[in-house]
Amino acid sequence: MARTLDPAVHAVRRETFIDIAQRLIQAKGYEQMSIQDVLDEAAASRGAFYHYFDSKAALLEAVVERMVEAATSTLAPLIADPGVPALQKLQGVFTGIARWKGERTELMLALLQVWLSDENAIVREKFRHGLVARLAPLLAAIVRQGADEGVFTSSSPDDLARVLVSLLQGANETAVELYVARQAGKVSFEAVQRLLATYVEAFERLLGLPCGSLMLVDQAVLREWYG
């Protein structure tokens, strides 16, 4: 007779591996972390690990996926609040994501070291698809509200939301590349400011907003990461 799998137990055990991996990535870095390190902390067998993940990269994917879920979940209450204007909600998405990252600086820095690696290209691509699935509906609700308020210009909120998510992904990937270049002394802080400001301008134009309506990253946060 086949063994019956308890979904709740399965989820808890899987989350345990993810918890441990996240701590180890933050403490010693992804490249330095081995599957055996995870097994030792979990007091688990290699077979148990491969029951949930087929590789170390799959474990990294799970860590990133959970981070995306956690970050987007923090935005839901703001977006669902009928008393908050659409423009304020959109700004809240930007500042909320930046704040969430800022509260996890050590983890974000640890992930930055491996994020652009060719070995993690599949993880990055799955991250992009996952972000679209989670963030596009939230942004569509904001765009729809903004159009009703006469603040945003959009004939198709759902389509525009997907474009905005793509632009946000581009801004995020550019920010990572700029961070690496800045650490290597290959780009100036002023160049970082200009390029990220161009993304903000693109957001404003897509939504039909006057220049200066949005702020992608607070200058103090920008200085903290790139100064």
Side-chain angles (χ1 to χ4, degrees), residues 30-216:
Y30 174 75
E31 297 292 356
Q32 290 70 37
M33 179 192 76
S34 67
I35 292 177
Q36 190 60 51
D37 290 332
V38 177
L39 297 180
D40 289 344
E41 285 215 18
S45 67
R46 191 165 289 266
F49 175 87
Y50 285 110
H51 180 71
Y52 301 99
F53 308 100
D54 60 15
S55 65
K56 182 181 172 183
L59 181 58
L60 173 63
E61 179 187 338
V63 170
V64 173
E65 180 182 342
R66 191 172 69 175
M67 289 172 63
V68 171
E69 181 179 359
T72 53
S73 294
T74 63
L75 304 174
L78 170 68
I79 295 171
D81 190 339
V84 179
L87 183 57
Q88 185 177 333
K89 288 182 179 180
L90 183 60
Q91 183 62 65
V93 169
F94 294 155
T95 56
I97 292 174
R99 185 187 314 112
W100 192 91
K101 290 181 178 179
E103 292 170 350
R104 296 157 180 81
T105 303
E106 291 184 2
L107 177 60
M108 299 307 301
L109 288 175
L111 288 171
L112 281 177
Q113 296 176 13
V114 298
W115 190 244
L116 298 178
S117 165
D118 289 343
E119 295 178 358
N120 294 317
I122 294 176
V123 175
R124 289 197 303 275
E125 189 59 29
K126 289 184 177 180
F127 164 77
R128 293 187 186 103
H129 287 289
L131 190 62
V132 170
R134 293 187 179 281
L135 199 53
L138 299 179
L139 288 180
I142 295 176
V143 173
R144 195 172 294 109
Q145 178 184 338
D148 291 341
E149 293 172 354
V151 178
F152 299 154
T153 302
S154 173
S155 59
S156 177
D158 290 333
D159 293 336
L160 180 55
R162 290 183 63 88
V163 174
L164 292 176
V165 173
S166 296
L167 187 59
L168 191 59
Q169 288 175 328
N172 182 69
E173 291 171 5
T174 298
V176 172
E177 293 169 0
L178 288 172
Y179 179 82
V180 173
R182 183 76 178 126
Q183 293 299 302
K186 296 180 179 179
V187 65
S188 68
F189 179 73
E190 290 71 25
V192 172
Q193 285 181 305
R194 287 196 305 271
L195 187 48
L196 293 183
T198 302
Y199 276 99
V200 176
E201 183 180 345
F203 273 105
E204 291 170 339
R205 289 190 176 186
L206 283 169
L207 291 164
L209 290 169
C211 182
S213 298
L214 291 171
M215 179 176 64
L216 187 60

Side-chain angles (χ1 to χ4, degrees), residues 5-20:
L5 180 66
D6 186 331
V9 173
H10 182 277
V12 169
R13 288 176 177 170
R14 184 176 186 275
E15 286 297 306
T16 297
F17 282 120
I18 298 173
D19 285 338
I20 292 171

